[in-house]
Amino acid sequence: MSRSNLRLAVLSLVAALAVSTLTVAQGQVLSGADCSPSENAEALGWGAPTWCAEFDDYLDEDEWVVYDSPGHAGNGRRSPDQLFLGDGALYLYGRADGTTAGLAARHVQTYGRWETRIRLYPGAGSYHPVALLWPQEGGGNVRSSTGEEIDFLEVVNDPQRQRPNFFLHTPQGQEQAHAQVDMTDWHTYAVENTSEGVVGYLDGQEWFRSPNAARSPMSVCLQLDWFPGQGDQGEAWMEVDWLRVYPLES
């Protein structure tokens, strides 16, 4: 099967799942003592999570802010109808017309660790799958009110999903790193924000480090952002297995 036909087959399969076995996400997720640290977190000595999402049931509005608003930079629209739950995972689906999805956890902390397990599918380069930290009451949907943002996974104009990027935005400027990995397989992406700086991890291995850090209370967000005119157009999917938040103290 050619690469283009494989891409179409994957998208058709996921679309079929959305119709046949997935449900529109709503309700609650497991949190607190209901989850345990990942193997990578144990190896890093992070201790037990203080909050987690397993996406086994439904999204609780007391735990999540589900976006229902204009899209990134006013492009397209973020709609709750583009979130799905199925087989213990959360799916974000972006349509070719820019109707897409995003959500933010209400759990907030300034310093600590955040970790998520994500699988992507080949799709439109105009869609950026993103896992990020954003200031509480962040203000605006392009630049935060504090000048702080930590994208511990962002995919930019990469239809085959092979190049993850890390972006750190602080008042000191922007810093970044990238790697080469097949994101159509499952991988874990994590970030540690402390008073000493920021460290990014890919599958438990460090791939970003900076002495700069976010100094404001931060919320973790999962987004599939649409950038029309940047990369090929079409659909995109982002699958999230789980999310964990750890305190700074192990």
Side-chain angles (χ1 to χ4, degrees):
M1 180 181 293
S2 71
R3 196 173 185 88
S4 61
N5 287 338
L6 177 61
R7 174 175 178 268
L8 291 174
V10 170
L11 290 175
S12 297
L13 173 62
V14 179
L17 283 173
V19 172
S20 63
T21 67
L22 305 184
T23 58
V24 175
Q26 55 185 343
Q28 69 179 10
V29 294
L30 301 177
S31 62
D34 295 318
C35 65
S36 57
S38 71
E39 292 183 4
N40 291 331
E42 286 187 326
L44 291 167
W46 286 359
T50 54
W51 187 86
C52 72
E54 297 291 341
F55 304 116
D56 288 328
D57 196 348
Y58 56 99
L59 297 176
D60 185 346
E61 64 182 13
D62 291 332
E63 302 277 5
W64 294 97
V65 176
V66 176
Y67 303 164
D68 188 1
S69 64
H72 178 270
N75 295 312
R77 180 155 191 86
R78 290 164 167 161
S79 168
D81 293 339
Q82 302 308 108
L83 289 172
F84 302 90
L85 288 173
D87 296 327
L90 172 71
Y91 294 81
L92 292 78
Y93 169 48
R95 298 185 344 204
D97 66 359
T99 306
T100 185
L103 70 169
R106 295 187 187 274
H107 183 281
V108 174
Q109 62 185 27
T110 301
Y111 298 129
R113 293 105 173 196
W114 295 258
E115 180 187 31
T116 186
R117 186 170 186 254
I118 291 174
R119 176 168 63 181
L120 303 178
Y121 297 84
S126 55
Y127 269 109
H128 293 199
V130 189
L132 72 152
L133 301 184
W134 188 258
Q136 182 184 24
E137 310 298 338
N141 71 345
V142 178
R143 295 190 181 278
S144 73
S145 58
T146 65
E148 298 166 316
E149 176 183 348
I150 304 176
D151 305 287
F152 58 104
L153 168 65
E154 182 170 1
V155 183
V156 179
N157 191 11
D158 180 9
Q160 299 305 320
R161 311 315 195 209
Q162 300 294 308
R163 180 185 168 101
N165 297 277
F166 191 111
F167 294 99
L168 172 64
H169 304 265
T170 67
Q172 288 72 44
Q174 177 183 295
E175 302 167 69
Q176 66 184 75
H178 69 270
Q180 293 293 328
V181 65
D182 184 0
M183 291 176 284
T184 64
D185 291 331
W186 287 107
H187 295 281
T188 60
Y189 305 89
V191 61
E192 178 182 63
N193 185 54
T194 76
S195 60
E196 302 300 317
V198 170
V199 182
Y201 297 90
L202 174 55
D203 293 329
Q205 301 299 310
E206 180 180 321
W207 69 305
F208 177 88
R209 179 177 288 271
S210 171
N212 298 311
R215 312 295 181 184
S216 306
M218 305 294 280
S219 170
V220 64
C221 310
L222 301 167
Q223 300 172 187
L224 187 57
D225 290 344
W226 190 50
F227 288 74
Q230 300 181 26
D232 62 309
Q233 304 301 295
E235 301 177 333
W237 287 86
M238 175 178 176
E239 183 179 2
V240 186
D241 186 16
W242 47 255
L243 173 70
R244 285 163 167 74
V245 179
Y246 302 83
L248 186 59
E249 298 77 19
S250 60

